[in-house]
Amino acid sequence: MSDTSFVRTEMLAEQDPPPTSVGVIGWLRANLFPNWWNAILTVLCLAAIWYVLSGLLGWTLRSVWTAGSLSECREVMIETWGSTHGHACWGVINDRWLQLLFGFYPPELYYRPILALLLLIAALAPVLFADKVSPRLLYVTAAYPFLMPWLMWGGSIWTPVGVAAGFVVAYLVGRALRGAVAGLVLGILSAIIWWMVWFGFPVQTEVLAAGLGEGLAAISPDTAPFLLETVESRKFGGFMLSVMIGVVAIGCSLPLGILLALGRQSNMLIVKAICVGFIEFIRGVPLITLLFVASTLLNIFLPPGTNFDIILRVMIMVTLFAAAYMAEVIRGGLAGLPTGQYEGADSLGLNYWQAQRLIIMPQALKISIPGIVSTFIGIFKDTTLVSIIALLDPLGLSNSIRADTDWNGIYWELFAFIALLFFIACFGMSRYSMYLERKLKTEND
Amino acid sequence: MQKSVFYGALAAAVVIGGAAGAATLDDVKARGNLNCGVSTGLVGFASPDASGNWEGFDVAVCRAVAAAVLGDPQAVEFIPTTGKTRFTALASGEVDMLARNTTWTFSRDTDLKLDFIGVNYYDGQGFMVPKALGVTSAKDLDGATVCIQTGTTTELNLADFFRVNNISYEPVPIETNAEAQQQYLAEACDVYTTDASGLAATRASFESPGDHVILPEIISKEPLGPVVRHGDNEWGDIVRWTLNALISAEELGITSANVGELSGGPTNNPEINRLLGTEGTLGDMIGLDSEWAQRAIMAEGNYGEIFEKNIGENTPVGLARGLNAQYTEGGLIYSPPFR
């Protein structure tokens, strides 16, 4: 019997992993071809992707850029590739992209919407990236709601200044009379009186003819410096119009939605009833109905000759619509907070608004971020519905462009361009919300 | 039910609006421009070009009225309207007139309290089929699939036609004209039916228009004309006679090229003189100056010129005059005399 037992006396040197499990091949094996079933699926998927991309990229890239009409496009295609099938005619975008962006806004004034957009970015920066930019930019944010209409519609600088001053008056009066409700009511009243004086309503001559009224008349609208050329609402159109309506609706619906959500949870019967009634009514009616009310029904009920700007009407309707949805999203966030948070706030002796501001809302809003942003995205895309009431947003313009005999019969190129514009905006919003969620993530979530 | 409530509200508004804003002419003059309701886009009839200038067959009527009233064919604000907003836009005073391929029907003229001031285009519903189908008459279409816009009078006309001829069809409901073109080209339906002018424009946009034929049957009457509000007859007269001036100008051989020369002094034709204001006081009678018709004709030319420029046989739309020829040429276009 021989002693054949074997004991290794030294450690084996580390070896490289087998070449089939590292590098590209390893990754492929692990992720794409781990077994024969997954391998088949991978091959099928690759084939599908290749099929779609080959058509799509071929159509997008092997295309005509410089033609002045669809028939010219087709001639070029026949000349170059021998067939018109599978080639895009981007000539229409080349010809009309300014119109798709700005509508009928006068070309020599394009700097104004562009400036408004740049200011929008500056105004949003301190809100969106509070930790990265100087808080001084908040002054831009505060001024923006008054600057934007002035830039877009033109007119005298004193109009936005007067409107802004009304808010200052309301704030000062409200502060002077610290008694909560009285201060609020008087503040609003004084602002309304201010605006009436400023914009020369009859009050000016009757009540305040002397002194204040006359002093203001010197700098009242239409007589002042910084007079921008007026641009009428019906010249507005294209993506600019969508962005304007979208930004106003998004900007106003969040605070309105918060108030509505709080009102809905309030113990005060009338406030609660109004909020519930508003939310349920608006959510129970399609947006397109509200837009029809804005465009046609209001015309009938307002006295003839009233000039209530159509874009303003649409903005109000879209904002109200968005606010109702926003209220429910935020109510979801509020419901997600444990009761302990409310009780904790009470036990610290905070009053209602302090508790909301310091304890409840920061948490409720954080929970609601995905819902809030998807409401934003939804409402931004819903702005295309205004084409049904004959406002020329990009989709409405695509129809007008097709009505030109040069471009009759062109579809996908226009829709692809419009889709790209909306995709950039919506994707941006979506990525920002993910960034915000990551930033606000805390350990105990 | 809903419809009648809506129309009731509309009618009430028209009464109020009509009473309050009776003098459209004064409003237009004070404003310095004409608010003209047009389509948001219809090939050959109204479309904005790349720099936002509107052009087309309906647009030309607006320009002629602006030229007659204000002396400037450019003094028009074009207000795009959809099929749903057009009548309220007019009733509420948002626009002074509609020139928007609107069919003159009994209920619109009476129940909606509108005034159709004439017909600038006689249209009718037709059929387009691929040549390969080998069909020469709409009566051969038994069992065909038909692309049709839902909720329009075309849908009802189609049902009537097939019922009267005792043949069957299968409707493919679609929402817009653009969608219809795509469906038809993708062969989702054998036949596409809409107004004949629309069919011609659609066919013109195809890659090979020759592969498609428009069948000879026209199954409905669609007289399209400019519309004004009920109750302001002075304004209605101005729009009506501006259109008639364009029509008479063609009949009398007045074109945009020779109108200047003809209005230089009285010619041998008294009707030309009356129309152009070198004789008589027709302008006074409608509250305008004597050169109103000259300016209307100068704006875009006479009826025939407008037709040829926007939708005639030399344009991509390529419509023959047909019913829209002067009555002297066997058509229906006929203006009452200027006397």
Side-chain angles (χ1 to χ4, degrees), chain B residues 19-32:
Chain B
T24 311
L25 176 60
D26 296 339
D27 292 349
V28 171
K29 279 184 171 163
R31 205 187 304 129

Side-chain angles (χ1 to χ4, degrees), chain B residues 64 68 237-254 275-276 286 292-297 301-304 326 335-336 338:
Chain B
D237 286 344
I238 289 172
V239 181
R240 171 179 302 111
W241 286 94
T242 304
L243 177 62
N244 283 339
L246 300 180
I247 292 171
S248 287
E250 187 189 15
E251 188 188 343
L252 298 168
I254 309 170
L275 177 60
L276 297 179
I286 55 169
W292 66 281
Q294 288 176 30
R295 292 193 304 265
I297 297 161
N302 65 33
Y303 180 84
Q326 290 281 339
S335 158
F338 277 77

Side-chain angles (χ1 to χ4, degrees), chain B residues 84-285:
Chain B
K84 296 181 181 76
T85 62
R86 56 183 164 183
F87 297 130
T88 20
L90 183 62
S92 66
E94 193 183 342
V95 299
D96 303 311
M97 60 177 283
L98 271 186
R100 196 205 172 278
N101 60 296
T102 302
T103 306
W104 187 351
T105 66
F106 181 92
S107 60
R108 284 173 180 173
D109 203 344
T110 57
D111 198 26
L112 282 190
K113 302 272 186 278
L114 304 174
D115 271 354
F116 285 81
I117 56 90
V119 175
N120 67 338
Y121 189 84
Y122 287 95
D123 214 336
Q125 187 177 341
F127 297 96
M128 176 163 63
V129 294
K131 215 170 225 170
L133 211 59
V135 173
T136 52
S137 158
K139 289 175 185 158
D140 302 340
L141 288 175
D142 196 9
T145 49
V146 184
C147 275
I148 177 121
Q149 270 170 274
T150 50
T152 59
T153 49
T154 45
E155 198 179 10
L156 307 175
N157 295 335
L158 182 75
D160 287 356
F161 175 79
F162 276 78
R163 203 172 113 196
V164 167
N165 289 290
N166 203 17
I167 48 181
S168 68
Y169 70 103
E170 195 184 322
V172 179
I174 38 147
E175 197 52 44
T176 64
N177 187 46
E179 194 190 337
Q181 296 187 18
Q182 293 293 298
Q183 295 284 9
Y184 174 76
L185 283 179
E187 294 177 359
C189 48
D190 304 324
V191 190
Y192 176 36
T193 178
T194 188
D195 286 352
S197 62
L199 286 181
T202 302
R203 194 175 74 135
S205 76
F206 290 170
E207 268 186 78
S208 41
D211 293 349
H212 305 270
V213 286
I214 294 172
L215 298 177
E217 282 88 353
I218 297 292
I219 63 167
S220 73
K221 291 187 283 189
E222 312 280 349
L224 312 179
V227 195
V228 297
R229 274 184 295 279
H230 223 73
D232 185 354
N233 295 7
E234 285 74 21
W235 177 248
D237 286 344
I238 289 172
V239 181
R240 171 179 302 111
W241 286 94
T242 304
L243 177 62
N244 283 339
L246 300 180
I247 292 171
S248 287
E250 187 189 15
E251 188 188 343
L252 298 168
I254 309 170
T255 65
S256 54
N258 68 12
V259 62
E261 181 196 331
L262 289 173
S263 42
T267 62
N268 293 329
N269 186 334
E271 179 142 24
I272 291 181
N273 298 345
R274 284 194 296 273
L275 177 60
L276 297 179
T278 51
E279 200 179 299
T281 56
L282 292 187
D284 288 350
M285 296 179 200

Side-chain angles (χ1 to χ4, degrees), chain A residues 10-264:
Chain A
E10 79 282 3
M11 289 293 286
L12 271 179
E14 270 185 23
Q15 283 187 325
D16 287 338
T20 51
S21 63
V22 288
V24 177
I25 296 175
W27 185 88
L28 285 177
R29 274 181 63 120
N31 291 294
L32 300 181
F33 306 99
N35 53 45
W36 63 271
W37 171 240
N38 280 12
I40 291 174
L41 284 182
T42 300
V43 170
L44 282 179
C45 288
L46 285 179
I49 292 172
W50 182 82
Y51 177 73
V52 171
L53 277 188
S54 64
L56 209 59
L57 288 180
W59 179 80
T60 313
L61 300 175
R62 298 173 67 190
S63 52
V64 183
W65 273 96
T66 50
S69 73
L70 182 56
S71 45
E72 212 175 292
C73 256
R74 284 173 177 158
E75 277 167 30
V76 175
M77 286 174 194
I78 299 261
E79 230 168 73
T80 324
W81 298 289
S83 113
T84 61
H85 187 73
H87 305 288
C89 175
W90 297 112
V92 65
I93 306 298
N94 196 11
D95 190 29
R96 298 292 185 113
W97 67 278
L98 280 172
Q99 200 168 51
L100 281 167
L101 289 182
F102 295 103
F104 301 141
Y105 210 85
E108 67 275 14
L109 301 179
Y110 279 167
Y111 75 91
R112 277 161 47 180
I114 293 170
L115 189 61
L117 184 67
L118 292 177
L119 278 176
L120 175 69
I121 295 168
L124 283 179
V127 181
L128 299 184
F129 304 100
D131 50 342
K132 292 201 181 120
V133 297
S134 156
R136 286 185 192 185
L137 272 176
L138 277 172
Y139 290 113
V140 180
T141 313
Y144 191 74
F146 309 103
L147 275 178
M148 190 274 277
W150 177 58
L151 276 174
M152 297 304 294
W153 276 279
S156 156
I157 183 80
W158 294 114
T159 312
V161 167
V163 175
F167 286 101
V168 174
V169 167
Y171 174 74
L172 291 179
V173 172
R175 234 170 82 123
L177 301 161
R178 267 196 162 265
V181 179
L184 188 69
V185 172
L186 280 176
I188 293 171
L189 267 182
S190 54
I192 290 172
I193 293 173
W194 170 271
W195 285 323
M196 288 172 109
V197 173
W198 187 274
F199 293 106
F201 277 90
V203 179
Q204 188 182 351
T205 49
E206 288 161 24
V207 186
L208 293 152
L212 189 59
E214 275 176 26
L216 285 176
I219 53 165
S220 71
D222 307 329
T223 58
F226 308 115
L227 199 65
L228 282 184
E229 193 182 323
T230 310
V231 180
E232 285 183 49
S233 284
R234 61 178 72 105
K235 304 259 182 226
F236 286 48
F239 197 59
M240 181 187 89
L241 180 67
S242 301
V243 171
M244 271 177 66
I245 298 175
V247 164
V248 171
I250 286 172
C252 300
S253 67
L254 187 59
L256 264 180
I258 292 175
L259 288 181
L260 283 170
L262 291 178
R264 189 166 188 163

